[in-house]
Amino acid sequence: MTFDRKQAANWFEQLQGRIIAGLELLETEFGDPNAKFQPKLWQRHDQHHPNDPKASGGGGRMAVLRGTLFEKAGVNFSEVHGHFSEKFRKEIPGAGESGAFWASGISLVIHPTSPHIPIIHMNTRMIATEKQWFGGGIDLTPALPDATETEAFHQQLQQGCDRFNPEYYPRFKKRCDEYFFLPHRNEPRGVGGIFYDNLDSGDLVQDFAFTQAIGSLFLEIYRPIVEAKAKLSWGEVEAE
């Protein structure tokens, strides 16, 4: 089944804009009202075909905010195409002989200043070779774990997954737990979340709708957490 790649790229770019606006509102309310995201455009050049402009290209927009509520927040969008190296293409579904690919997505990492507010990561993406699929995930890394917050976080993720397939949440939660396990510390990174890749159920329209739902969950999940904890006091002990 073919899928309109540009539709996906446009949505990822729009999602970046919505998330930036939502985080700036939180920074304005609880931090520095003058702190804004600073955008930076970039372009991609394919090292495997440096003299063929048709063989590679694209780029994206990085955006970074440094405030007092958010010590550093990065929300990045990209849409690129090119060729995988001969070695790497063997590991990518559908890369074939040419190694040609197209990819678009959004990724973000938010580091709050307050240790009461958890760090959060999220990404959603579409990748196309001779095959097409979606991937993404969202996870929470609190410095000071909160059992009630963790339970609510996972409930929201499960509800978002269950709308599409009741098997998604347990499967994708397990993948996240495995992916973010720290062997050298024998513990997970944070309180987990969900992680998925190579999602091609045979209905890419539905897979895209699921990926949109996960992307849209970010502000629904994170805004209430920030609002509940932005005014909590903390000192050197909590910071350490």
Side-chain angles (χ1 to χ4, degrees), residues 214-233:
I214 297 305
S216 296
L217 269 176
F218 171 76
L219 286 175
E220 293 181 27
I221 286 174
Y222 203 51
R223 184 188 293 114
I225 291 175
V226 173
E227 290 174 340
K229 295 190 167 182
K231 293 184 178 181
L232 294 180
S233 60

Side-chain angles (χ1 to χ4, degrees), residues 15-31:
L15 178 63
Q16 182 196 35
R18 295 204 306 272
I19 290 175
I20 285 173
L23 293 174
E24 284 185 343
L25 283 175
L26 288 169
E27 180 67 41
T28 296
E29 183 174 357
F30 298 108

